[in-house]
Amino acid sequence: METVKLFDAEWNLMEIVWETAPATASRIAAIAGQRFAWAKNTTYTVLKRLISKGVLERSGTDFTVTPLVTRRQMQLVELNNLVEKRFGGSEAEMLRVLYHDGAADPARRESLVQVLGDLC
């Protein structure tokens, strides 16, 4: 799972899948059409890529799609990739940046401190 990388379009479609699963590809395509103005073929292409990446499963003659990973699992994969790529593998450095530079709004900074305090 660590090696799975979702591009923005794939992540956007996974959000629909997580919200509606299990759902048919045609239902997902209808929602993607409304939400992103995607053509049906675009949605089907992205669904096939997600299946080949092992994050979705297709079943039935109606092309029912079920996620094989949770949103939380994929968030963790994305976060680990980010920490490795941008923070030299240091979660502490990421938190320092978030606290000192990323949370300019004092309320957001306090929220970060509160969450960390709750976890410790």
Side-chain angles (χ1 to χ4, degrees):
M1 183 55 57
E2 302 113 30
T3 60
V4 173
K5 166 71 173 123
L6 295 185
F7 295 100
D8 289 342
E10 294 167 336
W11 187 275
N12 290 340
L13 197 60
M14 283 299 295
E15 289 287 351
I16 294 171
V17 172
W18 286 318
E19 292 166 14
T20 61
T24 63
S26 60
R27 173 150 164 67
I28 294 167
I31 296 169
Q34 291 172 348
R35 207 174 279 183
F36 312 126
W38 285 7
K40 188 181 242 184
N41 286 341
T42 302
T43 302
Y44 288 177
T45 298
V46 176
L47 284 172
K48 287 176 187 175
R49 283 197 327 232
L50 291 166
I51 290 166
S52 71
K53 288 183 176 193
V55 297
L56 290 182
E57 177 179 67
R58 172 191 174 179
S59 62
T61 57
D62 60 352
F63 200 143
T64 297
V65 177
T66 307
L68 297 175
V69 296
T70 65
R71 181 183 284 118
R72 178 66 111 204
Q73 287 171 314
M74 284 310 303
Q75 286 171 330
L76 188 56
V77 167
E78 293 278 328
L79 183 60
N80 286 335
N81 288 339
L82 176 70
V83 169
E84 284 300 317
K85 254 184 175 172
R86 306 292 183 227
F87 299 97
S90 171
E91 291 89 351
E93 180 61 21
M94 181 191 69
L95 290 173
R96 275 195 235 14
V97 169
L98 277 173
Y99 181 80
H100 291 294
D101 302 317
D105 176 12
R108 289 181 60 202
R109 185 175 290 148
E110 183 56 37
S111 176
L112 180 61
V113 170
Q114 179 68 43
V115 167
L116 290 171
D118 291 347
L119 294 173
C120 296

